Every structure is written in C-alpha cells, then in structure tokens.
Amino acid sequence: MVTLMGLLHFHLAGHQAIPLVGNATGTIGDPSGRSTERVALDQDVLARNVAGIEAQLERFFARGTEYASTRIADLDPSTLQPVRVLHNADWYRGIGVLEFLGTVGRHARIGAMLARDSVKSRLQTPQGISFTEFSYQLLQAYDFWYLYHHHGCRIQLGGSDQWGNIIAGTDLIHRLPGAQPLPMASRSLDDGDGAFGLTIPLLTTASGEKFGKSAGNAIWLDETRTSPFDIYQFFVKTADSDVERFLKMFTLLPLSRIARVVEEHRDAPENFAAQKLLAAETTELIHGKEGVQQALCATEVLFGSRKSLGLQQFTGHDFASAFIRDPRMVSLDRSAVVGKSIDEIAVLLDSCRSKSEAARLVRGGGLYWNNRPVTDSKWVPEAERGDFVGGGTIGILRTGKTNCRLLRLLDAE
C-alpha cells in the first residue's frame, strides 16, 4: 500500500500512472526479500490472482481519486489522466527464449547480477537460488525497457527491496536502443538518459517491526480478505509513536490538520483522536465513505459503551453491510422472534444452551441487549417500543464481554 500511495501521488499530480500486473513474471516469482523459492502457481490460480489484483488496483485508484477530491483544494478529477493497468504477459507472449537471450541476455552482466542483494543473500542460504529466480531481474528490466519505449514511462517506482531490479532496468535502457522513438511530446535527452528509479522504504513500526504477509500483520485491499472494520481497527490501534508518521504516509490531509490532531492527542491521549482520524481516513481511502460507515457501525456494536446511544445513528442497511460476511449476524423472520422473551432469543441465537443458562447470566449481570444490561430474563423486546435499532430491524445480544450476536429481523414478502 505504501508504494501504491506513492503512485497515487504521481497520478494526482497529473502524471500517467501505470500499475503493472506481472501475469507473466508471476509464474516465476521475485526472489527479493525471500529466503526460499516461491511456490509455483498453476495457471488457474494465477489467472484468479491476476483478475483480483487488477480489480483491486482499479478500485484503489478510483476511490483514491474520489477521496483526494475532498482533501486537495482545486483538484479536478476530470483533468487527471486515466490510470492504465497493464499486464506484462502482453509483450512476453511473442518472444521466444532464443530471441530474449539474444537481445536482453546479451546486455546483461553476470557480475552485476550476482552483486544484487536479493541474489547474494540467497546464495548464502542452504537452498541457494534457482536459475529461474536468478533470471527474474532480467524480466523486470525488460518490463521497464518496454514501458519506456512503448508507453513513455520514465520512472519505475517500487519498494526498497526492488532497487536492484529497477537498476537492472535503467541499465538495459542505456544499453539496448529502442526500435521506435519514445511516444513523448518532446525529447531533448538521448535514450536512457531520461529513465529513473524511485524506491520507497519498507514500512516498519517505531520498534522496527515489519508489515506484510511474512510478518503476519498484512492488510489486504480486497474487502473479502480485510473488511472495512478490520482496516479501521488495524489503524486505530496504531502506537502513539507511529501515528503522526502514518497520518503523513496514508492520508492526504494537510500537514496543518495533522499537526493539530497530533497536538490534540498529546493533550488528551486517552481519547485516541489521532488514531481515530487515521483509521477513518485510511478506511475511506480504501473502501470509500460507505466503508467508513460500516467500520464505525461494527465498532459501535462490538466495542460501544454500554451507556452509549451510538447505535441509534445507524440504519438497518448499515448494520447489514457491516456484518454481511460475519457469522455473528443471524437473519430470522420477524414472526419467529416477535413475542419471545430474551432468554428464548438467547437460545435461538445460540448465545446460550438453555433458558436457565440465560437466566443465570441475567442474574449475574452478564447479558446485554443493545449494549444495555438486561435485568429480567423474561423481558420481551418490542420494536414498537424502540427495543430494536436500525429502523426496528436489529437487536444486539451480548453474553459476557466478547460473545456477541446481531439479530436481523426480516419481514415476510
């Protein structure tokens, strides 16, 4: 996401952004930052991954542009160049092994390839490195060469672990002339003089902890992998020592606004003002305004104060959207619930094994309805009396501190 934020900044500044999907190189895998070889993917899995990545990229830039239009003064999204998602298989399909070795391979130097950090670190491991992964840098170099000569791409942007691969690309652009002139309005530089690499440091916390799949703390742009609620919770738990830096990295807020909220947080850290702002901004950037509403709704359901009336601000649609893939939401016909006491509802939702267990929880002050303690196990919630939120369609039953069920009432058609 850090690299995508860098590309988003270029896009918002009026440049042509070209996110590249490696559906050809994905069959090999980049050895950078890895101690073992990647597992080879079959064509069906690779095709699904490519389709998913392309959809995520298009969604990220569409939502990012919408988000930016409300944060950057005088930004007119209609004047921005459309983001161009490309697939490198489109230019590898017509190239044979001999042709590739005779052109790209002829300009590669083994000494430089062996000196890459990604290669040196793997050579020092018992597993070593296969020729397949060793050659990956030539493929990424050719990607840059092709984009430079056919799409006027002057800058390759990547994480800091991509430095060697990016340099391989600028080196190839210097060594291998293009077959046609660059598609630019004007060129005062010779081929190769205008190719640049830009790397962004890998994201770490103030304690030095890395983010990512291998570290077990990755977040996904796909809402089926990381929901808006999980995105929100991930960032709202940011440490005080990281929150100012993350606000600058993951939002498009003016620095003056960030400075004010950081100062507010220093004065009253117990309110988590900076973390809440960071969480809301990043959730909107990734999932849009509706995603923020879903995240806030789920947060209020799961962590809201028992004295709070915050549940009243959300609609039935907000609750349903926030918990659409969550097994804690149980949808039942209204007729199956109306007239039932709270102990019967607890059994119906599998929150309790029996009505007597529900009664014991009530006596011990451990059963809550819409974040309020229930004092009578025979109490009957009624929509007409306002006992259901979300327009009379939602009831939230909590047993203990963490066991929560969201009851959604459905009206018969």
Side-chain angles (χ1 to χ4, degrees):
M1 184 176 166
V2 181
T3 306
L4 286 180
M5 285 300 297
L7 194 58
L8 178 62
H9 278 285
F10 275 104
H11 170 62
L12 297 175
H15 298 280
Q16 174 66 71
I18 308 176
L20 180 61
V21 180
N23 54 335
T25 46
T27 60
I28 295 174
D30 183 5
S32 300
R34 293 185 62 88
S35 58
T36 58
E37 187 162 355
R38 296 176 187 270
V39 177
L41 302 177
D42 63 44
Q43 290 301 314
D44 290 340
V45 173
L46 181 61
R48 287 198 300 271
N49 289 350
V50 167
I53 290 171
E54 182 174 9
Q56 290 169 33
L57 288 170
E58 292 175 346
R59 196 160 50 237
F60 175 82
F61 282 97
R63 287 174 174 167
T65 302
E66 181 182 357
Y67 165 80
S69 66
T70 63
R71 302 302 190 279
I72 301 177
D74 301 324
L75 176 67
D76 183 0
S78 65
T79 64
L80 301 178
Q81 297 193 55
V83 174
R84 190 186 305 166
V85 180
L86 298 180
H87 304 80
N88 62 5
D90 292 342
W91 50 84
Y92 281 115
R93 286 195 184 98
I95 301 178
V97 175
L98 294 179
E99 182 183 358
F100 186 81
L101 292 177
T103 52
V104 178
R106 190 180 305 278
H107 296 281
R109 294 295 176 264
I110 293 297
M113 294 177 69
L114 289 170
R116 309 291 185 211
D117 288 340
S118 60
V119 174
K120 286 195 299 183
S121 61
R122 286 288 293 277
L123 289 174
Q124 295 170 0
T125 65
Q127 295 86 357
I129 186 170
S130 68
F131 176 78
T132 302
E133 287 196 316
F134 177 65
S135 64
Y136 183 92
Q137 56 187 289
L138 296 183
L139 298 172
Q140 187 167 330
Y142 184 73
D143 286 342
F144 195 8
W145 182 94
Y146 186 93
L147 293 172
Y148 180 84
H149 285 289
H150 293 270
H151 294 278
C153 180
R154 304 284 296 275
I155 301 174
Q156 183 176 173
L157 178 69
S160 57
D161 60 343
Q162 293 295 307
W163 177 250
N165 294 338
I166 293 174
I167 291 301
T170 58
D171 186 58
L172 183 63
I173 291 170
H174 278 282
R175 293 174 180 273
L176 180 62
Q180 53 183 292
L182 292 174
M184 300 177 190
S186 63
R187 279 178 62 241
S188 59
L189 300 175
D190 294 331
D191 286 3
D193 291 338
F196 303 91
L198 178 63
T199 60
I200 297 177
L202 298 178
L203 182 63
T204 60
T205 65
S207 62
E209 181 186 6
K210 292 182 179 180
F211 288 96
K213 289 179 287 185
S214 59
N217 55 4
I219 57 173
W220 303 82
L221 299 181
D222 187 343
E223 60 189 21
T224 64
R225 302 291 298 272
T226 305
S227 69
F229 167 73
D230 290 327
I231 290 281
Y232 185 91
Q233 289 299 315
F234 178 89
F235 283 103
V236 86
K237 295 174 183 176
T238 300
D240 291 347
S241 53
D242 293 316
V243 67
E244 181 176 6
R245 183 164 57 98
F246 287 4
L247 279 166
K248 294 175 180 177
M249 293 174 66
F250 294 116
T251 79
L252 298 177
L253 293 171
L255 293 178
S256 57
R257 175 74 177 93
I258 294 175
R260 287 198 303 273
V261 76
V262 169
E263 186 63 29
E264 179 185 347
H265 178 66
R266 289 194 183 111
D267 292 340
E270 69 278 5
N271 294 329
F272 300 100
Q275 283 88 344
K276 289 178 180 177
L277 178 62
L278 171 66
E281 292 289 311
T282 50
T283 304
E284 182 176 345
L285 170 68
I286 298 171
H287 293 298
K289 291 182 179 179
E290 185 175 356
V292 178
Q293 188 74 352
Q294 293 174 17
L296 293 175
C297 178
T299 299
E300 186 65 33
V301 168
L302 299 174
F303 305 113
S305 168
R306 296 163 186 167
K307 298 180 181 179
S308 172
L309 296 178
L311 293 172
Q312 303 294 338
Q313 64 185 300
F314 300 106
T315 66
H317 174 74
D318 291 333
F319 288 105
S321 299
F323 289 88
I324 189 169
R325 298 179 185 88
D326 195 315
R328 288 173 294 192
M329 183 172 72
V330 179
S331 298
L332 297 173
D333 286 340
R334 186 181 294 271
S335 59
V337 178
V338 170
K340 282 189 166 46
S341 58
I342 195 68
D343 56 352
E344 293 175 304
I345 293 175
V347 174
L348 194 63
L349 298 181
D350 288 331
S351 293
C352 296
R353 287 170 293 184
S354 64
K355 291 189 290 184
S356 58
E357 180 184 352
R360 284 195 298 273
L361 282 172
V362 169
R363 289 195 296 270
L367 193 145
Y368 300 84
W369 180 260
N370 293 343
N371 288 340
R372 296 184 176 219
V374 176
T375 57
D376 181 3
S377 63
K378 295 303 179 182
W379 172 70
V380 178
E382 296 180 8
E384 295 78 8
R385 199 170 52 205
D387 296 330
F388 289 84
V389 294
T393 63
I394 301 294
I396 301 160
L397 182 73
R398 187 193 309 275
T399 55
K401 292 183 178 180
T402 59
N403 185 16
C404 179
R405 291 288 187 276
L406 187 142
L407 171 61
R408 182 188 180 200
L409 299 182
L410 302 177
D411 292 312
E413 296 182 358

